[in-house]
Amino acid sequence: MSLIATPQQAWERLLEGNERFVANTSSHPRQDAARRAELVSGQHPFAAILGCGDSRLAAEIIFDLGLGDAFVVRTAGQVLDDAVLGSLEYSAAELEIPLIMVLGHDSCGAVTATRNSLISGTMPPGFIRNLVEGILPSVISPDLPDDATINEMVIEHTRQTAARIAEQSAIIREAVEGGTVAVIGVFYHLADGKAELVYSSSPSITD
């Protein structure tokens, strides 16, 4: 088990790393040969991160992490499916991580494509349609203003995705209810690199 045992400790560690990244003082920790050798016998990450597949959203860099620190799953638009949920369940049940993060970002292309499909009435081809269908409930959310921007849609999608993880996974829901795991949603600002908390299943986790 990771030495970071609580959701709050995990979030504080991620925040500290992001603050270094924003300030251009990243320490690039635990990325040497000694750490590589240490991990051969097993991994003990302290956070699971479901992030968008966008090339600008490399979680280990954004949060100044090292090898073995984070269990990362990425899909375009951080869309949930059975494989993603199974991966997150594995991280919670087998790796005993205390924090699951959903990481979205401004100007998301997948959310933009979903909004454009809604406006045009035309769905994209192939499996891209699956992504759009997964994001659509967030884009048409009644909680959004009529003139919602793409970034407002991304934040809503990040919140909805984070909430759905515990709703759809009994394993994670039980861990959340027991207080051993928290699920958060974070919105990343491409220009300044800041990670902003937009959802938390735990009232104790705040910016």
Side-chain angles (χ1 to χ4, degrees), residues 149-170:
T149 65
I150 289 297
N151 289 346
E152 287 173 324
M153 292 175 183
V154 173
I155 291 173
E156 177 64 17
H157 179 54
T158 301
R159 289 171 175 158
Q160 284 198 21
T161 302
R164 283 203 301 271
I165 288 172
E167 290 172 0
Q168 295 183 15
S169 167

Side-chain angles (χ1 to χ4, degrees), residues 88-174:
L88 296 177
E89 287 183 342
Y90 174 80
S91 73
E94 299 298 326
L95 299 178
E96 299 181 326
I97 60 92
L99 187 69
I100 296 173
M101 172 194 291
V102 175
L103 181 63
H105 67 96
D106 55 17
S107 308
C108 178
V111 174
T112 301
T114 303
R115 193 275 307 269
N116 291 344
S117 290
L118 180 65
I119 292 172
S120 68
T122 304
M123 294 295 283
F127 289 103
I128 302 174
R129 178 185 182 120
N130 295 50
L131 297 174
V132 167
E133 289 176 344
I135 298 169
L136 191 58
S138 303
V139 170
I140 62 175
S141 169
D143 293 330
L144 288 172
D146 292 338
D147 57 349
T149 65
I150 289 297
N151 289 346
E152 287 173 324
M153 292 175 183
V154 173
I155 291 173
E156 177 64 17
H157 179 54
T158 301
R159 289 171 175 158
Q160 284 198 21
T161 302
R164 283 203 301 271
I165 288 172
E167 290 172 0
Q168 295 183 15
S169 167
I171 291 173
I172 295 173
R173 182 169 61 253
E174 290 172 5

Side-chain angles (χ1 to χ4, degrees), residues 1 17 33 37 56 60-61 121 129 132 143-145 151 169 171 178 192 196 198 202:
M1 179 183 292
R56 299 164 291 182
E60 291 90 345
I61 296 175
R129 178 185 182 120
V132 167
D143 293 330
L144 288 172
N151 289 346
S169 167
I171 291 173
D192 62 17
E196 175 189 358
V198 296
S202 170

Side-chain angles (χ1 to χ4, degrees), residues 3-82:
L3 295 177
I4 296 177
T6 71
Q8 181 63 33
Q9 288 173 335
W11 174 232
E12 289 172 359
R13 172 84 164 271
L14 291 168
L15 268 182
E16 290 168 0
N18 182 241
E19 287 169 359
R20 292 194 300 272
F21 175 68
V22 170
N24 198 31
T25 59
S26 295
S27 60
H28 310 289
R30 298 170 298 284
Q31 297 179 9
D32 56 10
R35 177 62 168 172
R36 187 175 69 233
E38 178 186 342
L39 291 169
V40 170
S41 61
Q43 60 169 324
H44 305 283
F46 69 87
I49 301 173
L50 168 58
C52 179
D54 191 291
S55 62
R56 299 164 291 182
L57 207 69
E60 291 90 345
I61 296 175
I62 291 167
F63 296 103
D64 197 22
L65 301 173
L67 292 171
D69 287 341
F71 184 88
V72 180
V73 181
R74 298 178 70 176
T75 65
Q78 66 272 8
V79 172
L80 283 177
D81 61 17
D82 291 349

